[in-house]
Amino acid sequence: MSTNTKLRKKDEIRGYLLTDVASCTFTFSDGLKSRVIPSPENEVVLVKLIPRISKSKRFEDSVLSNYSSAQNMNELARLCNYDCLKTFTRHFKKCFGETPYQWMLDRKMEEIRSLVLNSDISITEISGMYGFKSVSHLVNVYSKRFGISPHKNRLWNAT
């Protein structure tokens, strides 16, 4: 660390150093308050506030980081450290506003659409990659969601 960097850090710390403070009250966004009172000997009190990540933010981060490696809801729940699918589903609906199945299907269909429009991978291969029971199952779901079959969508996009 250079001398200039050390001096800047020292100046930043001094910017937060208060003298002759009888007490200090912190009010947090959740309404909780915390009061800091220095000792009678007027010692310096250093307070470092570390933001706490909310449970819903941790849950959301866990889902987003594990989604791509999960084949289904049960596996996603397990990867997010939930043994009970019902509990996982309840937390999921509260956080994302829809069921894990619908959310995963939405993500999967957007990825499939991207592959259909931006690659030359066959619809049969895409169907297998995403675990559809058959090509016709993928074609039906795709057509219902986007209003056009994957093959027609690919041809339309190519022109």
Side-chain angles (χ1 to χ4, degrees), residues 2 7 9 19-20 26 33 42 49-50 59 61 79 84-85 89-90 93-94 100 105 116-117 120 125 128 143 145 158:
S2 70
L7 288 174
K9 291 249 184 226
T19 56
D20 299 328
F26 297 96
K33 292 184 180 190
N42 290 325
L49 301 174
I50 302 171
F59 180 81
D61 290 345
L79 290 170
C84 177
L85 183 60
T89 301
R90 187 178 72 245
K93 285 171 76 173
K94 186 176 180 184
L105 184 60
V116 166
L117 298 176
D120 59 352
E125 286 179 87
S143 299
R145 169 140 181 133

Side-chain angles (χ1 to χ4, degrees), residues 78-89:
R78 187 181 52 74
L79 290 170
C80 293
N81 298 316
Y82 280 81
D83 294 327
C84 177
L85 183 60
K86 190 173 184 178
T87 302
F88 176 75
T89 301

Side-chain angles (χ1 to χ4, degrees), residues 19-129:
T19 56
D20 299 328
V21 175
S23 72
C24 185
T25 303
F26 297 96
T27 305
F28 298 94
S29 60
D30 61 1
L32 293 175
K33 292 184 180 190
S34 182
R35 188 169 187 203
V36 178
I37 301 172
S39 67
E41 294 84 33
N42 290 325
E43 294 175 354
V44 173
V45 175
L46 179 63
V47 177
K48 183 175 183 178
L49 301 174
I50 302 171
R52 182 176 36 147
I53 297 175
S54 70
K55 286 181 183 178
S56 62
K57 179 66 176 147
R58 275 195 305 260
F59 180 81
E60 182 180 337
D61 290 345
S62 178
V63 167
L64 295 174
S65 65
N66 289 305
Y67 155 72
S68 60
S69 56
Q71 292 294 318
N72 54 43
M73 290 188 321
N74 293 327
E75 196 173 337
L76 181 59
R78 187 181 52 74
L79 290 170
C80 293
N81 298 316
Y82 280 81
D83 294 327
C84 177
L85 183 60
K86 190 173 184 178
T87 302
F88 176 75
T89 301
R90 187 178 72 245
H91 287 234
F92 196 98
K93 285 171 76 173
K94 186 176 180 184
C95 185
F96 290 94
E98 57 187 333
T99 66
Y101 175 80
Q102 188 59 51
W103 186 87
M104 287 183 76
L105 184 60
D106 289 347
R107 302 290 90 51
K108 187 186 286 190
M109 292 309 298
E110 290 301 326
E111 290 172 15
I112 290 170
R113 185 175 194 204
S114 180
L115 286 174
V116 166
L117 298 176
N118 302 311
S119 77
D120 59 352
I121 300 172
S122 73
I123 306 302
T124 304
E125 286 179 87
I126 293 171
S127 173
M129 287 170 50

